[in-house]
Amino acid sequence: ATMLEATANANNSNATNLTVHEYKEKMDRIAGPNVSSFLKPDELEEMHRRAVQECLEHFEDIATFGPERGIETARENTLRSISEDFELYQKLNESRNPLAGLEIYLIPMTIAAVSIVLRWVADSTCSGWSSTCRAGSEFLSHVYAVVFFFMIIVASTKAKQIKDLLKRLMTAFEALAGDSKDKRD
């Protein structure tokens, strides 16, 4: 390798490192580990797209020396690194989603609520001598009892996560309440 090739490789490597560092700085402010707010995935995607565009313009300003193939390889390496970093930012952002994991609680609670309503309907519409109605009513009471105990077991094994869930629910409620207030103003 000639001195010229070594200089070109160093310049391209420097362009890659500076560009990836610039991208990380931009994204850290938007969705990094010290950020606590959740962004909608399409908002995060748009901010990522803008950051990539700005950073690649910076890359093009730096990577101007050497053969085109070397510059293109450095550009591909930069994009690959940025893509890997973006996956991390997406996961960090998703972990802040106030509605993530609600299905663990909503599905059993919905089943219990439906069971309570159906039992009430069965108890209020069937006569006392019908063994089918009585069996259906008992079955529905067992369903919501099982769900109740399931929720107690989940709550006891995931006390900290439930505390965090309640915080996320409050954040989601405040965000929804804030959105409706903003629309009225």
Side-chain angles (χ1 to χ4, degrees):
T2 65
M3 186 69 141
L4 183 62
E5 289 172 337
T7 304
N9 287 339
N11 185 55
N12 292 337
S13 180
N14 187 43
T16 296
N17 291 336
L18 289 173
T19 302
V20 169
H21 181 73
E22 180 184 351
Y23 172 78
K24 285 181 179 181
E25 282 182 345
K26 288 176 184 292
M27 291 303 289
D28 277 347
R29 287 187 297 252
I30 297 167
N34 295 327
V35 175
S36 61
S37 59
F38 171 73
L39 293 170
K40 293 178 185 171
D42 55 334
E43 290 175 12
L44 182 65
E45 186 80 36
E46 176 60 26
M47 291 177 172
H48 160 73
R49 191 188 59 71
R50 274 191 260 138
V52 168
Q53 185 178 1
E54 292 170 11
C55 291
L56 284 180
E57 288 172 6
H58 189 226
F59 175 87
E60 301 296 333
D61 292 340
I62 299 170
T64 58
F65 187 70
E68 268 314 301
R69 183 67 201 132
I71 293 172
E72 188 56 36
T73 300
R75 188 177 204 283
E76 289 169 5
N77 291 339
T78 300
L79 289 172
R80 186 180 324 88
S81 181
I82 285 174
S83 177
E84 290 168 3
D85 289 337
F86 182 58
E87 288 179 28
L88 175 68
Y89 289 115
Q90 284 178 312
K91 289 177 183 171
L92 280 172
N93 186 56
E94 187 57 38
S95 72
R96 295 182 193 108
N97 186 347
L99 302 177
L102 278 180
E103 66 276 2
I104 292 172
Y105 308 100
L106 287 179
I107 293 172
M109 291 172 77
T110 302
I111 291 171
V114 168
S115 295
I116 290 170
V117 169
L118 289 176
R119 181 172 187 217
W120 178 81
V121 168
D123 288 347
S124 62
T125 59
C126 291
S127 64
W129 55 267
S130 174
S131 62
T132 305
C133 283
R134 194 172 32 243
S137 177
E138 288 176 11
F139 171 76
L140 292 169
S141 71
H142 292 315
V143 168
Y144 67 78
V146 167
V147 170
F148 175 75
F149 287 113
F150 170 76
M151 296 303 288
I152 288 175
I153 292 169
V154 168
S156 65
T157 59
K158 298 185 174 205
K160 184 184 180 326
Q161 291 174 335
I162 289 175
K163 180 181 168 189
D164 293 342
L165 171 70
L166 291 174
K167 284 182 183 176
R168 288 197 318 244
L169 284 173
M170 289 303 295
T171 303
F173 178 73
E174 290 168 1
L176 291 173
D179 285 349
S180 63
K181 286 179 185 175
D182 291 344
K183 289 178 183 174
R184 279 188 251 137
D185 291 341

